[in-house]
């Protein structure tokens, strides 16, 4: 006699499966995610041109493309320090995924990836970023970066939020007053 047919569907969660986070062992790893109401390819294309990243990443001062796979980044570190990163792309699946790692020329040993996936319910794109790094000066450096709001875990969350704003509205909201805005003299 055969087993009765099951009506249970074999359905996987629409969430990402993060089985292999990173290749190496790092002191700090962070994964952040956001849903953005834009087509996956548009988001990938904007991010893949790394020169766009300073437009929404507050601590990234500049990105220079060295060749098709390598880029040099100037990043604001704790206490006004300038951190130089040289990254190379280790995997690039157009429209879906970009992975990178640091080269020997970097001030900070790091690696990470960003994945773009159509939302299972047909609305927008799930964007997930993983960053792993060894903080300069070890645990003390990590604590200083955290206090100074320069810790990559905090930055990744903020930058994904800013990326979402930019991609959905074309601008990034801020509570800072514009530099050029005139101010009335408050002391009469």
């Amino acid at each position: 006699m055969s087993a009765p047919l099951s009506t249970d569907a074999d359905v996987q969660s629409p969430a990402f499966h993060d089985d292999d986070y990173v290749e190496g062992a790092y002191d700090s790893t962070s994964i952040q995610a956001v849903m953005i109401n834009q087509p996956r390819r548009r988001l990938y294309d904007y991010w893949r041109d790394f020169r766009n990243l300073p437009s929404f990443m507050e601590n990234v001062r500049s990105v220079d493309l060295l060749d098709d796979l390598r880029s040099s980044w100037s990043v604001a570190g704790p206490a006004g320090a300038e951190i130089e990163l040289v990254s190379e792309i280790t995997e690039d699946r157009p429209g879906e995924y970009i992975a990178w790692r640091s080269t020997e020329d970097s001030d900070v040993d790091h690696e990470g990836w960003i994945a773009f996936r159509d939302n299972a319910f047909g609305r927008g794109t799930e964007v997930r970023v993983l960053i792993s790094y060894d903080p300069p000066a070890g645990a003390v450096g990590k604590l200083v970066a955290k206090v100074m709001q320069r810790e990559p875990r905090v930055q990744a969350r903020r930058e994904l939020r800013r990326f979402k704003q930019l991609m959905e509205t074309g601008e990034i909201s801020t509570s800072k007053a514009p530099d050029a805005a005139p101010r009335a003299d408050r002391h009469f």
Side-chain angles (χ1 to χ4, degrees), residues 39 48 56 77 90:
R48 181 60 177 87
F56 65 90
T90 57

Side-chain angles (χ1 to χ4, degrees), residues 31 36 57 88 96 98 103 136-137 188:
I31 189 162
I36 301 177
M57 293 183 171
E88 64 182 348
E96 295 179 13
I98 306 166
T103 67
F188 298 117

Side-chain angles (χ1 to χ4, degrees), residues 120-133:
F121 303 106
R123 290 193 48 131
T125 303
E126 295 175 60
V127 179
R128 183 165 283 200
V129 175
L130 177 130
I131 300 170
S132 289
Y133 72 104

